[in-house]
């Protein structure tokens, strides 16, 4: 049973470009969470999605950031017009069932560097 | 500041025990977690404890929970070089995990 998969593992973008980060949850998991880890900090919650639904995006910046989890395919975190402050590690996690206390399993992360 | 607080660094000699401490804020958290992150890698779930427990032991790992003081600790017995990593404690509120800044554990020979 493959774990949570993320790609790319490393992404370099110039200021003003777009970044698209992909996450495939574990098999049988229909709940996806995105977290951001800034240098020297812990992970911060960004968004929680179920298939075709955004459940909670309270941790996501209001502008330039969007997330989706379509019926088919991976979850996508999209950052438009990236700035240097977007440089961070972005982690996706998944869980099998409804929210509550289900353990979240993390992917290896995508490390975004904005030049 | 962080809602979950941890000391930032711990240096321990190989073979000794490591103790990592954490304080959290949400008394309604029903589970508390310890994750391990090796350089350039993702987070690996090490262990977790249900809030109605005081202690949980899993091989070399012992988790102690003091709910009154909102204090959580992770003890690693017989620390090995492969234990060098950043350790995060986390509490959960609904579905949102809140992490501390992480404790960097360095194991010296």
């Amino acid at each position: 049973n493959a774990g949570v998969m993320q790609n790319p593992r490393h992404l370099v973008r110039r200021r003003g470009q777009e970044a698209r980060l992909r996450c495939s949850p574990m098999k049988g998991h229909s709940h996806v969470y995105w977290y951001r880890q800034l240098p020297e900090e812990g992970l911060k919650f960004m968004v929680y999605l179920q298939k075709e639904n955004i459940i909670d995006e309270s941790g996501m910046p209001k502008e330039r950031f969007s997330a989706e989890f379509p019926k088919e395919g991976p979850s996508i975190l999209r950052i438009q017009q990236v700035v240097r402050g977007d440089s961070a590690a972005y982690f996706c996690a998944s869980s099998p069932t409804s929210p509550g206390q289900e353990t979240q399993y993390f992917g290896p992360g995508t490390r975004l560097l904005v030049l | 500041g962080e809602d979950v607080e941890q000391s930032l660094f711990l240096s321990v000699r190989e073979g000794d025990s490591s103790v990592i401490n954490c304080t959290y804020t949400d008394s309604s958290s029903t589970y508390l977690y310890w994750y391990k992150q090796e350089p350039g890698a993702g987070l690996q779930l090490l262990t977790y404890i249900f809030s109605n427990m005081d202690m949980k032991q899993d091989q070399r790992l012992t988790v102690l929970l003091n709910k009154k003081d909102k204090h959580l600790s992770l003890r690693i017995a017989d620390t090995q070089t492969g234990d060098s990593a950043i350790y995060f404690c986390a509490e959960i509120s609904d579905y949102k995990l809140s992490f501390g800044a992480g404790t960097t554990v360095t194991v010296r020979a």
Side-chain angles (χ1 to χ4, degrees):
Chain A
N1 186 11
V4 178
M5 297 173 67
Q6 291 187 248
N7 67 81
R9 295 289 304 275
H10 299 273
L11 183 60
V12 180
R13 285 288 178 265
R14 296 192 181 278
R15 280 178 296 170
Q17 291 184 317
E18 179 180 287
R20 289 172 71 88
L21 287 61
R22 286 176 289 278
C23 168
S24 296
M26 285 179 73
K27 189 175 180 181
H29 287 195
S30 57
H31 301 258
V32 166
Y33 315 82
W34 286 91
Y35 291 82
R36 177 166 65 175
Q37 184 182 29
L38 294 170
E40 312 291 320
E41 294 188 13
L43 280 72
K44 296 281 196 285
F45 169 83
M46 298 181 75
V47 61
Y48 162 43
L49 309 106
Q50 295 177 25
K51 286 281 187 183
E52 301 184 278
N53 281 305
I54 298 174
I55 307 302
D56 182 347
E57 55 183 350
S58 59
M60 205 137 77
K62 295 285 185 280
E63 297 179 354
R64 302 187 297 109
F65 283 71
S66 62
E68 62 176 10
F69 189 16
K71 189 176 180 182
E72 301 290 337
S75 174
I76 306 285
L77 179 68
R78 183 178 174 215
I79 311 172
Q80 295 177 287
Q81 300 174 332
V82 295
V83 301
R84 289 219 174 107
D86 297 332
S87 295
Y90 291 83
F91 291 95
C92 167
S94 72
S95 66
T97 58
S98 58
Q101 313 306 324
E102 284 290 344
T103 299
Q104 295 177 21
Y105 295 90
F106 282 81
T110 294
R111 281 151 178 88
L112 172 66
L113 176 62
V114 179
L115 300 177
Chain B
E2 298 286 345
D3 292 333
V4 179
E5 295 188 351
Q6 304 176 234
S7 51
L8 292 181
F9 300 100
L10 176 67
S11 177
V12 62
R13 192 166 10 193
E14 191 175 7
D16 287 352
S17 292
S18 310
V19 179
I20 308 167
N21 294 300
C22 169
T23 56
Y24 62 98
T25 59
D26 188 350
S27 58
S28 67
S29 292
T30 54
Y31 287 95
L32 294 135
Y33 301 86
W34 284 102
Y35 285 87
K36 176 183 179 183
Q37 184 181 35
E38 297 185 56
L43 271 71
Q44 173 195 352
L45 177 65
L46 276 181
T47 186
Y48 61 92
I49 188 167
F50 189 49
S51 61
N52 69 354
M53 298 170 65
D54 298 324
M55 184 181 85
K56 179 180 179 181
Q57 187 150 4
D58 184 1
Q59 300 182 341
R60 291 193 297 123
L61 304 178
T62 303
V63 179
L64 295 177
L65 175 61
N66 180 331
K67 201 171 178 184
K68 175 176 166 288
D69 294 337
K70 296 181 189 163
H71 184 265
L72 183 73
S73 69
L74 174 69
R75 177 176 180 269
I76 307 172
D78 186 25
T79 310
Q80 303 298 306
T81 54
D83 296 323
S84 291
I86 303 175
Y87 291 81
F88 292 94
C89 70
E91 60 180 351
I92 192 161
S93 176
D94 293 328
Y95 41 76
K96 296 179 192 176
L97 286 166
S98 295
F99 289 83
T103 300
T104 299
V105 173
T106 302
V107 181
R108 59 188 193 277

